[in-house]
Amino acid sequence: MSVFRFKKFEIRNERSPMKVNTDGVLLGAAVTLTKDIKKAVDVGTGTGTVALMVAQRLSEMGMKDFSILGVDIDTPSAEEASENFAASPWKGNLSAELAALSELERRDSLYDLIVSNPPYFDNSLHNPDERKNTARHTSEGGLSYRTLIEYASKKLTENGLLSMILPYSERRAILRYAAGFGLYPTRILSIRTTERKEPSRMIAEFSLKRTDTLEEDLIIYKNGAASEEYRSITNQFYINQ
């Protein structure tokens, strides 16, 4: 059995095509959370890692009355996420469903937080494994930052937040697309693997309200080891920190 162990929960990591990965852990550890979050959805939840990290952080903020829905279009992923949720300390706050974003859009629910580690490879070579393609590559009508922005523009609460981890190279296009749907950047966390490299990822957060954008930087490795800032945001999760 493939199991990834965090300090307070475990992830069965066998059937979902997307395993526990650095992007997901960064998003779960760094997404902006407030005590106003009562209802959240993790779109493309995979094994449920991001949803579980958000649940742990909300719980450690003293919150009890919150719900997080993890959704995925891949049946084994939705099943595995459900099992991981049920085995966690926050099983009463978490649920998983097999559902596409288009199905969610037909529901009346509004969310205080929409979080996602979406597919973002548009033009790279496809993997022969079709399930891995779906998890990693955008497709016409499938999950992408575009469909998430369109969905969030209709399903965020007044003070709600959309948070995604995406390629930094797409920053300008993403901000322009979001503005077209009335979503404004509240925070951009630029992520570099080392000090000398350009940012490769960003955590981009949007709301329906126009505010000043908080610009931050995170470097993962310094002097050949995990940086102090990276260790700081992931310390409550990784066992060896």
Side-chain angles (χ1 to χ4, degrees):
M1 180 187 300
S2 176
V3 177
F4 193 101
R5 292 179 172 83
F6 291 92
K7 285 183 177 177
K8 294 190 177 181
F9 61 91
E10 295 181 349
I11 294 290
R12 288 187 62 178
N13 208 28
E14 297 176 308
R15 288 167 284 160
S16 174
M18 285 302 288
K19 310 304 182 186
V20 175
N21 58 74
T22 301
D23 281 5
V25 170
L26 279 170
L27 180 60
V31 56
T32 300
L33 300 181
T34 71
K35 291 192 174 183
D36 294 325
I37 295 174
K38 302 294 184 183
K39 195 169 185 178
V41 60
D42 175 19
V43 184
T45 195
T47 58
T49 303
V50 174
L52 281 159
M53 294 177 75
V54 171
Q56 178 180 327
R57 290 178 59 199
L58 289 175
S59 178
E60 290 173 351
M61 289 166 60
M63 296 182 62
K64 296 180 180 179
D65 185 23
F66 65 87
S67 66
I68 304 172
L69 172 64
V71 297
D72 208 290
I73 61 170
D74 180 66
T75 299
S77 294
E79 291 174 349
E80 197 159 52
S82 182
E83 292 165 6
N84 288 329
F85 293 166
S88 78
W90 315 284
K91 59 185 178 182
N93 304 95
L94 292 154
S95 61
E97 288 186 25
L98 178 69
L101 201 59
S102 57
E103 180 181 337
L104 291 183
E105 192 167 343
R106 292 193 290 270
R107 302 180 186 179
D108 294 331
S109 298
L110 297 179
Y111 293 97
D112 304 304
L113 174 66
I114 299 170
V115 63
S116 184
N117 175 15
Y120 49 66
F121 293 118
D122 280 322
N123 300 310
S124 59
L125 292 174
H126 280 211
N127 191 296
D129 185 329
E130 190 57 37
R131 291 175 61 227
K132 289 184 178 179
N133 279 337
T134 301
R136 294 174 178 172
H137 299 262
T138 61
S139 60
E140 187 69 29
L143 183 61
S144 68
Y145 77 76
R146 299 175 187 87
T147 55
L148 282 160
I149 285 169
E150 294 171 26
Y151 174 75
S153 70
K154 303 169 188 174
K155 296 299 182 178
L156 279 177
T157 58
E158 181 181 0
N159 296 309
L161 189 74
L162 167 65
S163 184
M164 302 176 286
I165 187 163
L166 297 161
Y168 187 86
S169 60
E170 296 295 310
R171 172 178 172 143
R172 183 174 297 180
I174 290 164
L175 296 182
R176 184 169 59 245
Y177 197 82
F181 284 86
L183 287 175
Y184 304 99
T186 61
R187 178 184 177 218
I188 302 291
L189 174 63
S190 304
I191 301 165
R192 304 170 187 260
T193 52
T194 66
E195 291 177 277
R196 294 186 177 183
K197 291 187 176 181
E198 293 297 312
S200 58
R201 300 282 187 272
M202 67 176 185
I203 293 177
E205 299 185 335
F206 300 90
S207 76
L208 295 168
K209 293 185 175 180
R210 192 189 296 269
T211 64
D212 291 336
T213 305
L214 176 63
E215 296 272 0
E216 297 178 299
D217 292 287
L218 172 67
I219 299 168
I220 299 178
Y221 296 106
K222 291 183 178 179
N223 301 318
S227 69
E228 185 60 35
E229 60 225 80
Y230 177 74
R231 290 170 61 86
S232 176
I233 68 168
T234 59
N235 180 61
Q236 69 204 93
F237 302 105
Y238 284 141
I239 291 174
N240 60 348
Q241 291 186 183

